[in-house]
Every structure is written in structure tokens, then in C-alpha cells.
Amino acid sequence: MNEKRAGSNEYTFVNYLSAYGFDANIARITYQYLQEKQNVSFPIEASDSLDEDLGLGSGDIAESVADLLALTERESQPGMMHTPLITVEDLVRYLQASPRKAEIAAA
């Protein structure tokens, strides 16, 4: 994968998602987390499947969601996720759609 994705890195990942309206900070945190905490050793692409490409099991995905919500200071709300998280882009979209903790406290 490293050879196939030569030239791809965190910067290209964030720029790709930013071009489609995704929050650059959330994209960056997600990329770094997957590389460092979930030990993904190759450049990540938004279309990567969490299980097949990155090798994450359902427990790893649940752990990633909880950790990334905390890292991005967002709150999980029951019923917010209406489809399963299949790709890295799905994960970033879910995080971005989750309300900030401060928004919940103010409400």
C-alpha cells in the first residue's frame, strides 16, 4: 500500500476532504488517530473501508468513534448514526455531524 499510495499523506487526505466541505481539523485528527492509535502503517484515503482496508474490527471501530468524539470535543447522541460506518469518510462525516459538547451544554 505504501508504494501504491506514494505521494499520499495527511496533507493530501485533509485537502481532499476539505474540498468537499469537511472540517479540516476533524479530518486531521481522524487521520492522525488512525495512524497512531489504530496502527495503520500506510497512507489513508477517505474511501478506505474501516474493516477491509484498515483491518479494524467492530470493537476497534467503536473504540475509535468514542476516542475521536472525545478528541474533537463532540458528543454522541443516540440515533444520530442512521447507517453503519463503512469508510473513513463515513467516520469523519459522523464526527462532524455530532454536536459539540458546548452546544449541548448551552441547549
Side-chain angles (χ1 to χ4, degrees):
M1 279 285 212
N2 282 325
E3 223 172 273
K4 181 180 173 184
R5 295 183 179 183
S8 294
N9 56 34
E10 178 183 333
Y11 180 77
T12 59
F13 176 83
V14 171
N15 282 342
Y16 173 82
L17 288 174
S18 293
Y20 292 98
F22 286 89
D23 182 285
N25 191 48
I26 292 173
R28 182 174 291 104
I29 289 170
T30 302
Y31 189 97
Q32 291 172 352
Y33 176 88
L34 292 171
Q35 291 250 304
E36 296 168 12
K37 301 296 182 188
Q38 294 297 350
N39 300 315
V40 177
S41 61
F42 52 86
I44 298 166
E45 294 181 353
S47 62
D48 283 343
S49 170
L50 294 169
D51 58 356
E52 293 176 13
D53 295 324
L54 303 187
L56 302 180
S58 59
D60 297 322
I61 294 170
E63 175 186 44
S64 296
V65 168
D67 289 349
L68 286 165
L69 284 168
L71 287 169
T72 58
E73 298 181 352
R74 299 200 172 241
E75 191 75 37
S76 176
Q77 287 189 326
M80 183 83 143
M81 190 181 331
H82 61 280
T83 59
L85 299 176
I86 306 296
T87 66
V88 176
E89 183 177 331
D90 294 339
L91 177 58
V92 175
R93 181 179 292 110
Y94 174 71
L95 295 168
Q96 185 166 315
S98 298
R100 290 183 177 94
K101 289 183 180 181
E103 290 174 358
I104 292 173

